[in-house]
Amino acid sequence: MCAHVLVAEDDEMQAELIRRSLLAEGHTATVVHDGRAALDAARRLAPDLVVLDLMLPVIDGFGVCRVLRRDEDIPVVMLTARSEEDDVLLGLELGADDYITKPYSPRELMARIRTVLRRSGRSAVADRPEDPVVRAGGLAVDPVRHEVRCDGAPVDCTPAEFEILLAMVAEPERVFSRRQLLEVTRGTDRASTERAVDVHIMNLRRKIEADPRRPVRLLTVFGVGYKLSGGCG
């Protein structure tokens, strides 16, 4: 992976979108939802960069940035819905390496992250060619080429199916609720419902299971949702 990025964002949907965008770029990501957790994770994990929302609970982004600049040497890209000049200047004065206001495109954010990593002297990490393919349970998902392989054979997926597989292969054995998987597909299928997730899973089983009626990869966790078995294949 290119870099380890800590994402501090209290909006879970936004945080998941950033996480998936980072995975697609070949990075790894840790997500937290409040300022205290952001500081704890920064000290424990020493990430290559922090994506920091301004309006965090417990400790706001300004406070987190102030402590990071005092105690750690980690590049910071600050996110906020507030675009007033005073906020921008304060963020930069506290040491934020870049500042981007909402709404923003994931492509723009990834470009800013690449620039900050390079400018911060971590370009050897940021520019190192790495394999972006995510693998687990006999599946290989390539977020750059938008390709899926199962035991080496190509699998033709719809955009929503691809997003579901990418999320699950990135975190094998994690149990995803239908609502979480629905949020994963929001960028490709905004009219979808939680029941549509069951249809996507059923269709994926037809494509990646030897016997869709007795799945060994995409497993149902009754009363909760679905998970990808990481030990298969």
Side-chain angles (χ1 to χ4, degrees), residues 36 49 66 80 90 94 104 131-132 135 147 150 154 163-164 180 196 223:
R36 174 61 64 191
L49 182 141
R66 185 180 291 108
T80 184
L90 179 56
L94 287 172
Y104 56 84
D131 182 4
R135 297 178 174 87
E147 295 175 348
C150 179
E163 294 295 341
I164 288 173
Q180 288 170 328

Side-chain angles (χ1 to χ4, degrees), residues 167-168 171 174-178 180-181 224-227:
M168 298 183 82
E171 298 187 72
R174 172 185 169 182
V175 180
F176 289 83
S177 69
R178 289 177 176 84
Q180 288 170 328
L181 292 176
V224 183
Y226 300 100
K227 73 173 184 176

Side-chain angles (χ1 to χ4, degrees), residues 1-42:
M1 294 297 178
C2 290
H4 181 200
V5 179
L6 173 62
V7 179
E9 166 64 77
D10 65 330
D11 184 315
E12 294 189 8
M13 188 183 305
Q14 285 288 327
E16 178 62 16
L17 178 61
I18 296 169
R19 188 188 72 83
R20 287 191 284 129
S21 297
L22 288 165
L23 289 177
E25 287 278 308
H27 302 301
T28 58
T30 298
V31 175
V32 296
H33 300 297
D34 68 69
R36 174 61 64 191
L39 290 174
D40 290 344

Side-chain angles (χ1 to χ4, degrees), residues 121-196:
R122 299 172 187 240
S123 56
V125 175
D127 296 336
R128 185 176 65 230
E130 296 283 354
D131 182 4
V133 179
V134 185
R135 297 178 174 87
L139 295 166
V141 182
D142 186 335
V144 175
R145 295 181 177 85
H146 216 269
E147 295 175 348
V148 176
R149 289 185 174 270
C150 179
D151 296 331
V155 178
D156 185 21
C157 293
T158 67
E161 291 166 2
F162 181 88
E163 294 295 341
I164 288 173
L165 272 187
L166 178 59
M168 298 183 82
V169 171
E171 298 187 72
E173 304 298 340
R174 172 185 169 182
V175 180
F176 289 83
S177 69
R178 289 177 176 84
R179 178 167 294 277
Q180 288 170 328
L181 292 176
L182 176 62
E183 296 300 340
V184 163
T185 68
R186 281 303 193 192
T188 58
D189 189 3
R190 292 187 178 277
S192 188
T193 65
E194 288 188 37
R195 294 302 300 169

